[in-house]
Amino acid sequence: LWRLGYSARLLKTNHFKTAASNTSFPAVWMLLAQYSGRLPGPFVIVKKPTFSTMPETVEEKANPGLYSPHPRVRGMTLLNREAFKRTVVVPALKVKKEIVNSVLKSLKQWVLQRPGLKRVVEDPEDEDSRFVILDPHKIPEFSLGESEQQVLKQLSIHPEVYKYNLELTYENFRSEEILRAVLPEGQEVTSGFSRVGHIAHLNLRDHQLPYRHLIGQVIIDKNPGLTCAVNKTNIIDSTYRNFEMEVLAGERNLVTKVKENNIAYELDFSKVYWNPRLSTEHSRIVELLRPGDVLFDVFAGIGPFAIPAAKKKCRVFANDLNPESHHWLLHNCRLNKVDTKVKAFNMDGRDFLRGPVREELSKELPLLREEQKTAFHIVMNLPALAVEFLDVFRHLLVGEPCSAAGLPTVHCYGFSKHEDPAKDIQERAEASLGTSLEGRCSTYPVRNVAPNKEMLCISFQVPADVLYKRPCPDEEKPASKRLCTSQGFSEEKLLS
């Protein structure tokens, strides 16, 4: 029968107790299945699941692992997409094509909702009918409950449930489902990554490394727009704040474009630091600035603080020790047309603070009046070390402050593994400054970096007694003090 081309696509079963209870048709059917190795069609109509003639290669009932790839992929290290093919059985209803939309709407909670899989398929035996695929987890025994049957009755649909052989391929599985099926059972599966333009940046655990190339390719396949996947091979501990990485899959082009807070940046991800998880923090600090303010960015990178500040009409002094970061900073300033508003430096952070920052503050602060609104902000985003740089502010300037409001505000970032991270970073900042910040600072949690490791920002105005070195009493008053006194500021006000 099979070789002659008979296509018995639909088989309506009776309530057989055993295969021997009918000696004719079931036996022929089993012979066909044995000869062909599979069913000749995708459907079997079922009223009650008391007996089934489906072969063993297809699941008899809806199983919890319906959307799991074939077990043979376990342990795969080189991606073979064909190996993920499998056939599963799902329930389906036969309806007239003109009422398909009404059925979908009425049975919305029971219809298959998985992205990438059709909910409606053609009936190979009747061009006027369609099959609506149901969710096997909602219809676990291929039989409808009273509420479902009532809905079908209102639509004049016969409540027969069909078993539909649904073929799943690699394209139908999500990345986490694929990785969970491939990695050894019981081991942690992660499909998370940072996206940097066309690059997926992963931080794989040791047990995932044997599967790293497969993981990289899966991430690229399942995320449109990604063409390269890399894995960090060491922690960020170098002088230039970049890290070694291995290309896991895709093209080896690591020069990429990103967009953050409506500003475009270009960078070589293998040579500079970029973390897309900091976009909210970049925006938070820039929102504190007003047009006309001055920003000193000590560890500027490629400009995520500096460039938006310049676009806000602030005067910006940006520095980074990494020559590559300095190169891309200049490039991105030109790209965003703020190159005339940003003065870029390629120096050690301490030298930048003791050089251009001190020079600018020494020039600007004595000229400030009480009514002037210019504010000075110093951003120090080097969480591993920035707190240790705070000692540079000790007696950075000489003279007397003209206005407490003009004292620069520092936003310093740090990591903490302490049970009270805010207290920890404040105490470390106080130790570097040599003074108490109690009641004079605020701490802001930026993000959780790792288990028991937090990144925080501590913000404070540098206390006058820390920032300024007072001249000896027998020395001539410096020009700054003479200017302030001539403008009507009392000695008591200067010291306040």
Side-chain angles (χ1 to χ4, degrees):
L1 288 174
W2 178 257
R3 295 180 63 87
L4 291 173
Y6 283 81
S7 56
R9 291 183 177 272
L10 297 175
L11 169 65
K12 192 168 185 177
T13 63
N14 292 320
H15 303 258
F16 301 120
K17 293 183 179 180
T18 66
S21 64
N22 188 308
T23 59
S24 56
F25 192 66
V28 173
W29 181 261
M30 293 304 293
L31 181 62
L32 283 171
Q34 181 179 4
Y35 181 85
S36 64
R38 62 180 178 89
L39 287 177
F43 299 104
V44 173
I45 301 176
V46 177
K47 288 184 178 178
K48 290 184 181 180
T50 54
F51 179 79
S52 174
T53 57
M54 305 293 283
E56 295 181 356
T57 55
V58 180
E59 290 85 353
E60 293 295 330
K61 298 180 180 180
N63 69 71
L66 175 66
Y67 301 127
S68 298
H70 198 284
R72 63 173 168 262
V73 303
R74 180 77 67 191
M76 178 187 295
T77 57
L78 183 63
L79 183 60
N80 176 9
R81 296 176 182 84
E82 290 296 313
F84 286 84
K85 285 185 177 180
R86 72 179 309 184
T87 299
V88 294
V89 179
V90 293
L93 289 174
K94 182 176 180 177
V95 302
K96 292 297 182 182
K97 65 180 182 181
E98 59 266 18
I99 64 169
V100 165
N101 289 335
S102 299
V103 172
L104 291 176
K105 184 176 180 180
S106 301
L107 297 178
K108 184 177 180 180
Q109 60 179 316
W110 298 297
V111 172
L112 185 69
Q113 299 290 344
R114 187 174 177 86
L117 292 179
K118 292 182 177 180
R119 295 179 297 171
V120 180
V121 296
E122 292 184 357
D123 180 356
E125 301 296 331
D126 183 359
E127 63 179 15
D128 294 327
S129 297
R130 297 290 184 269
F131 286 96
V132 175
I133 308 301
L134 304 178
D135 188 338
H137 296 102
K138 304 288 182 62
I139 316 292
E141 295 295 331
F142 292 88
S143 60
L144 299 173
E146 292 185 7
S147 58
E148 296 99 315
Q149 291 190 38
Q150 189 64 31
V151 171
L152 294 179
K153 185 177 180 181
Q154 294 174 359
L155 296 170
S156 300
I157 299 174
H158 196 276
E160 290 178 326
V161 179
Y162 291 76
K163 285 188 175 183
Y164 177 68
N165 292 349
L166 179 66
E167 185 179 78
L168 301 176
T169 66
Y170 174 81
E171 285 70 27
N172 299 129
F173 298 111
R174 301 185 180 97
S175 55
E176 58 268 23
E177 293 168 339
I178 292 173
L179 299 182
R180 188 176 297 113
V182 169
L183 268 64
E185 290 186 78
Q187 291 193 359
E188 179 186 4
V189 174
T190 176
S191 57
F193 60 94
S194 296
R195 183 165 190 159
V196 184
H198 67 274
I199 302 170
H201 172 214
L202 295 82
N203 291 322
L204 298 180
R205 305 292 179 84
D206 289 344
H207 72 273
Q208 298 167 334
L209 293 179
Y211 308 91
R212 62 189 183 277
H213 297 295
L214 179 145
I215 294 173
Q217 188 60 58
V218 170
I219 295 299
I220 291 175
D221 290 346
K222 297 299 178 178
N223 295 274
L226 291 179
T227 58
C228 176
V230 301
N231 181 46
K232 184 173 68 176
T233 58
N234 69 345
I235 60 174
I236 303 173
D237 60 354
S238 66
T239 304
Y240 294 152
R241 248 200 330 173
N242 52 11
F243 49 81
E244 295 179 7
M245 62 180 68
E246 177 187 11
V247 176
L248 303 179
E251 64 183 29
R252 303 189 67 84
N253 176 24
L254 298 179
V255 175
T256 188
K257 298 178 181 180
V258 297
K259 195 168 187 178
E260 180 182 274
N261 301 322
N262 296 317
I263 296 178
Y265 302 88
E266 295 180 355
L267 62 138
D268 185 336
F269 190 53
S270 65
K271 296 180 180 177
V272 304
Y273 179 80
W274 179 264
N275 191 336
R277 293 187 176 96
L278 295 177
S279 61
T280 302
E281 182 62 13
H282 296 151
S283 178
R284 183 183 75 88
I285 294 297
V286 173
E287 286 176 0
L288 300 176
L289 308 177
R290 297 169 298 185
D293 285 352
V294 179
L295 173 69
F296 301 100
D297 194 348
V298 185
F299 312 104
I302 67 168
F305 287 113
I307 291 174
K311 278 187 164 290
K312 204 171 182 179
K313 298 183 179 179
C314 297
R315 288 192 292 132
V316 179
F317 297 77
N319 171 74
D320 203 281
L321 178 61
N322 184 353
E324 287 289 335
S325 294
H326 180 255
H327 163 75
W328 289 102
L329 171 62
L330 293 173
H331 174 83
N332 287 310
C333 286
R334 291 190 296 270
L335 181 67
N336 290 281
K337 297 179 173 57
V338 294
D339 46 310
T340 60
K341 299 177 183 178
V342 178
K343 291 185 178 180
F345 302 85
N346 180 207
M347 308 172 64
D348 176 79
R350 288 182 180 274
D351 294 337
F352 176 65
L353 289 167
R354 289 172 176 156
V357 175
R358 174 160 56 186
E359 181 181 344
E360 192 66 22
L361 290 177
S362 298
K363 181 174 65 176
E364 296 283 342
L365 292 182
L367 302 177
L368 286 182
R369 298 175 182 271
E370 278 292 327
E371 66 273 13
Q372 288 181 314
K373 302 300 183 181
T374 301
F376 297 86
H377 292 262
I378 303 174
V379 173
M380 305 176 67
N381 184 21
L382 184 65
L385 298 171
V387 175
E388 299 175 13
F389 281 73
L390 293 177
D391 64 336
V392 175
F393 292 107
R394 295 189 188 186
H395 298 168
L396 183 66
L397 306 179
V398 176
E400 299 287 350
C402 296
S403 169
L407 294 170
T409 298
V410 173
H411 308 281
C412 182
Y413 294 84
F415 295 132
S416 177
K417 294 183 178 181
H418 196 273
E419 59 182 11
D420 188 343
K423 179 181 178 182
D424 175 49
I425 196 170
Q426 179 178 329
E427 289 178 348
R428 287 158 51 201
E430 291 172 340
S432 292
L433 292 167
T435 191
S436 172
L437 293 176
E438 190 65 34
R440 297 191 286 181
C441 71
S442 62
T443 55
Y444 182 85
V446 177
R447 70 184 188 97
N448 177 260
V449 179
N452 302 317
K453 185 177 181 180
E454 300 291 330
M455 179 180 175
L456 302 95
C457 175
I458 181 169
S459 297
F460 57 90
Q461 276 193 297
V462 184
D465 57 346
V466 173
L467 184 62
Y468 284 88
K469 178 182 180 182
R470 301 299 201 275
C472 296
D474 57 345
E475 291 181 359
E476 184 182 357
K477 288 184 178 181
S480 61
K481 186 172 181 181
R482 290 201 304 272
L483 177 61
C484 294
T485 305
S486 70
Q487 292 174 346
F489 294 96
S490 65
E491 187 77 17
E492 291 76 18
K493 198 164 190 178
L494 288 169
L495 295 175
S496 65

